Amino acid sequence: MTLAPERTRTTPTTSAPTTPGINSRLSVTSAEPRPQRPEFKKSGRPNPAAHLSAEQIEEIGRELDALRQEVLDSRGAKDAAYIRKVIKTQRYIEMGSRAALLFSGVKVKGVRPMWWLGTAGLSVAKILENMEIGHNVMHGQWDWMRDPKIHSTAWEWDNASPSSQWKHSHNEIHHTFTNVLGRDNDLGYGILRVDEDQKWTLFYLFQPIWHVANALLFEYSIAAYDLELGGYLAKKNRMSDEDKAKFRADAQEVVTKIKRQATKDYLVHPAMAAATFTGSTRHTLTANIVANLVRNVWTNTVIICGHFPPGIETFEKASIEGETRGDWYLRQMLGSGNISGSKAMHVMTGNLSHQIEHHLFPDLPSNRYAEIAPRIRDLMDRNDLKYVSGNLAKQVGGVYWKVVELSLPPKREGTTRRATILRAAKRAVRGKGGAGRRY
Amino acid sequence: MTATLNRLAPSRRPARLAGLLDGARKVAEAIATPLVPSDYLDLIDPLRAGAELRGRIVSVAHETADAATITIRPGKGWLGHRPGQYIRIGIDIDGVRHWRAYSLTHRADASDGLISITTKAIPDGKVSNHLVRQATPGTLVMLDQATGDFTLPQAVPAKALFLTAGSGITPVIGMLRNHLGELPDVAHVHCAPTEADVIFREELRGYAAASRLTLHENHDDVAGILDLASLDDLVPDWREREVWVCGPTGLLDAAEAHWAEAGLAELLHVERFRPSIIEPGEGGSVTFEASGVTVDADGSTPILDAGEAAGVLMPSGCRMGICFGCVVTMRDGAVRDLRSGEITVADESTTGTKIQTCINAVAGRCDIEL
Ligand SMILES: Cc1cc2nc3c(=O)[nH]c(=O)nc-3n(C[C@H](O)[C@H](O)[C@H](O)COP(=O)(O)OP(=O)(O)OC[C@H]3O[C@@H](n4cnc5c(N)ncnc54)[C@H](O)[C@@H]3O)c2cc1C
Ligand code: FES
């Protein structure tokens, strides 16, 4: 797993848009607008922004900056009350579900009602904690409240990945390099080919399996991913002692976190259930396992819908050099997709169903994305840009289909897919240019 | 048998109890992780013993047109105070938490366990206006334990003088309400723009009418700003009195000069509500390293304010340079002390230099560890 190098700051610390409240990470400005974009990407696919002049792109940037400022200026007591209410609700759901599980072994007419209730509640609690609360708090969406209990630097989430490591790989790398091939590791997580422009290797032939396994184990794969475990294993021999030591310290942190999480879910709570003498120990254990699985599959589902559904663009490494603020916004809009649905669904996705709005303004409070969504859509319509959105079934279906379709190599003239696969397999068997090389 | 038990009990029982409590704490932590047990307990009772100190506003009573007394029920962890001391209160305004210091004005021996502060709304003042005009009973606020040494000594002085102006009456009313009976001889000079602006007017006049103190009110709009030279007439024996002064910067600076000139500086106790600021310098950019935030700040903005405005979790206290509750490490760059203009440059040979963020502004640029 290649770790995207830290982006060298394009803005010296003394320069402009670092007024209080503006996230310095977002200040990807360069003084000179770039020349007209080429009509086609290197891969031969059309460039979706080719019709926009540099000036139009900068205008989009200005419009979005103004919109962002508008929301910043109107943040207030109502927003603070919202997140506190979500947190309070989540904690009560969790406590209630955990209490129910103490009696999860009790059978009434052949079913264990408390198991079903507790498992459902715990799944919802974990999802809320990870999505609408954890993800968004760690983005700094609520830092402006200056409540040390709801602050990006203080939050630790109910997930295997320690928040410090997640924040680095997610906030700094994924959000900066959104959908840039070879830069944004979130693009397929290094195990999936979700874009035609990703090079096919034999490894991807089995990606439907990788994908399902990844979804089931999502919290652990995120932890491994944030830890850059793959990169370590691949480059161990070439790494400096310093980097190795850093990796070991990070790994220790992950192990400690996983231990703590597992002790809570799989040891302490089942043990407490034993004290009710209702035969609930085993059932509490299964309830925790199921709740974690449900959370894993759900979060994975939401997240794949953010960047992989059909119609969402990817970008070449070279295309982001000297990116202006307008360019950056443009890439975020074209590289993300929304999920339409009910209010409850938006909350359960942590408002990542408003992925486009979130990627434009990762640190605006999540409860405000819904209200700016129509304005973003309007802006994209006016500029002839595709606002990708669809209901959950459609978006998920699209991704699953891609996972299957792109597991096969692209069609090339003069050869069949079958032949390409066989050639790759032979090479793999002979041990040259392995099946495992995926980057 | 009994004898053995008795002999063992005193030494073992506390140890066993401590062990048990420690075990219980560990289990509670294992249950709550990644949160902590108090995150759940706070939902149920934010004022319980062992919780972070908080309070709930019980009432807001107007004293004058722009001053109000806010009565608060503190959490069970409240340790009490010495009259004259202040607390810090953290209150959410438009969703944003603001911390300010306020002197305690209630009777320390009141049986209801309530505490109070008295706030005067200042023009454009964020917190003071909110407390006086918007705060409602039932609101939960953050608190700190009482602190400060603007208090009466153990051995009360034979003769005392209180010199106050505006909201500077607050720490002094705390002392009067609690210790007036023990003070044999009290003179009080209080200044306010008009008669109607005198906070606790009836109460003070009541003390004077009962000959418990001699009161002189100076209504600035009528009589002009108090000239300390007139003390010779108002309180002829002022040189013999231990004196407590609290009010705006002008009065405090004048009093310090006046008592120093008389060679009596050791009799003077001063409580400042805000630092005296000199001409600001250039300003520049402040980087908060751990938070990954860089902001531009002018030469008159304390780094504390600049950081808070950018959503950085800044430690703070009195916000005026006396408590050192805001000290952080500056790794690089330079800051200017707003009170003296003195420049502090980060010491690069060590891991950094400690600075108070509440009274330092950036000078050029600086990197803060937070
Ligand atoms: C130890 C201590 C005890 C205090 N006790 C009391 C008290 O009992 N009652 C009380 O009313 N206040 C008291 N204060 C002052 C209080 O902490 C706040 O500074 C005051 O209420 C103004 O806060 P604000 O948020 O309303 O003003 P801000 O929004 O912070 O400031 C608005 C403007 O007013 C100026 N300003 C700030 N403070 C003052 C001030 N004190 N006087 C005049 N101008 C100011 C600022 O420079 C700014 O221009 C005390 C302060 C300290 C340090
Ligand atoms: S906050 Fe008290 S010294 Fe800075």
Side-chain angles (χ1 to χ4, degrees), chain B residues 102-175:
Chain B
Y102 291 99
S103 307
L104 289 160
T105 52
H106 64 285
R107 275 188 178 283
D109 60 359
S111 58
D112 56 11
L114 302 179
I115 63 173
S116 72
I117 57 170
T118 303
T119 304
K120 181 171 185 286
I122 59 168
D124 296 328
K126 186 101 197 168
V127 176
S128 57
N129 279 287
H130 181 84
L131 285 174
V132 173
R133 307 187 206 287
Q134 251 112 46
T136 47
T139 305
L140 200 64
V141 294
M142 307 294 126
L143 296 178
D144 259 359
Q145 297 292 351
T147 170
D149 46 18
F150 189 71
T151 53
L152 291 170
Q154 283 291 347
V156 291
K159 287 178 162 198
L161 168 61
F162 297 112
L163 178 54
T164 56
S167 61
I169 183 68
T170 51
V172 169
I173 200 77
M175 295 183 203

Side-chain angles (χ1 to χ4, degrees), chain B residues 27 162 201 268 275 305 336 357:
Chain B
V27 172
F162 297 112
R201 186 178 63 229
L268 185 71
D305 291 357
R336 178 184 285 103
T357 56

Side-chain angles (χ1 to χ4, degrees), chain B:
Chain B
M1 186 67 209
T2 2
T4 338
L5 258 186
N6 278 347
R7 201 152 39 78
L8 283 176
S11 58
R12 269 209 194 158
R13 208 181 286 144
R16 215 179 286 155
L17 191 67
L20 225 64
L21 282 178
D22 196 45
R25 186 179 51 79
K26 282 202 181 117
V27 172
E29 278 169 3
I31 293 173
T33 191
L35 301 178
V36 289
S38 68
D39 289 332
Y40 293 99
L41 298 175
D42 285 351
L43 289 180
I44 298 157
D45 183 6
L47 301 185
R48 70 186 197 287
E52 262 174 45
L53 192 61
R54 303 182 180 88
R56 206 177 277 288
I57 297 181
V58 175
S59 65
V60 180
H62 276 262
E63 300 285 354
T64 67
D66 55 5
T69 292
I70 293 97
T71 305
I72 299 168
R73 172 167 307 288
K76 301 229 167 62
W78 171 245
L79 296 176
H81 82 299
R82 281 184 292 136
Q85 287 190 310
Y86 66 92
I87 50 164
R88 287 202 318 131
I89 162 165
I91 186 162
D92 292 347
I93 303 174
D94 295 333
V96 181
R97 184 152 309 163
H98 296 268
W99 284 91
R100 295 288 186 274
Y102 291 99
S103 307
L104 289 160
T105 52
H106 64 285
R107 275 188 178 283
D109 60 359
S111 58
D112 56 11
L114 302 179
I115 63 173
S116 72
I117 57 170
T118 303
T119 304
K120 181 171 185 286
I122 59 168
D124 296 328
K126 186 101 197 168
V127 176
S128 57
N129 279 287
H130 181 84
L131 285 174
V132 173
R133 307 187 206 287
Q134 251 112 46
T136 47
T139 305
L140 200 64
V141 294
M142 307 294 126
L143 296 178
D144 259 359
Q145 297 292 351
T147 170
D149 46 18
F150 189 71
T151 53
L152 291 170
Q154 283 291 347
V156 291
K159 287 178 162 198
L161 168 61
F162 297 112
L163 178 54
T164 56
S167 61
I169 183 68
T170 51
V172 169
I173 200 77
M175 295 183 203
L176 294 179
R177 284 175 176 173
N178 289 287
H179 294 300
L180 189 52
E182 301 147 40
L183 291 166
D185 181 351
V186 177
H188 191 166
V189 177
H190 180 66
C191 312
T194 68
E195 184 175 3
D197 289 318
V198 176
I199 306 174
F200 308 125
R201 186 178 63 229
E202 296 315 317
E203 185 176 352
L204 289 173
R205 289 181 182 177
Y207 293 143
S211 305
R212 299 175 70 187
L213 53 70
T214 54
L215 177 67
H216 176 81
E217 286 177 37
N218 189 76
H219 302 141
D220 302 354
D221 285 358
V222 186
I225 300 263
L226 180 77
D227 179 1
L228 290 181
S230 65
L231 273 180
D232 292 334
D233 298 327
L234 298 174
V235 190
D237 59 353
W238 65 271
R239 288 184 175 78
E240 296 158 32
R241 292 176 180 268
E242 193 161 350
V243 55
W244 281 264
V245 189
C246 184
T249 307
L251 174 71
L252 302 181
D253 291 349
E256 277 175 348
H258 197 68
W259 263 262
E261 214 169 282
L264 298 169
E266 75 281 356
L267 289 180
L268 185 71
H269 305 271
V270 172
E271 179 81 325
R272 282 179 190 274
F273 283 1
R274 58 186 314 217
S276 32
I277 308 269
I278 62 147
E279 279 296 293
E282 271 294 301
S285 75
V286 190
T287 299
F288 298 93
E289 291 177 348
S291 314
V293 174
T294 299
V295 296
D296 280 342
D298 63 28
S300 61
T301 304
I303 289 166
L304 177 58
D305 291 357
E308 283 185 344
V312 179
L313 273 188
M314 308 286 298
S316 71
C318 62
R319 311 181 78 90
M320 55 158 297
I322 50 175
C323 75
F324 290 83
C326 62
V327 170
V328 297
T329 302
M330 170 171 65
R331 292 226 191 270
D332 203 4
V335 292
R336 178 184 285 103
D337 192 320
L338 288 164
R339 301 164 301 181
S340 62
E342 190 186 327
I343 300 272
T344 307
V345 180
D347 182 354
E348 280 165 31
S349 62
T350 63
T351 49
T353 306
K354 301 271 186 211
I355 57 158
Q356 287 165 281
T357 56
C358 70
I359 43 84
N360 274 298
V362 59
R365 52 169 281 276
C366 68
D367 285 4
I368 305 293
E369 190 182 49
L370 289 172

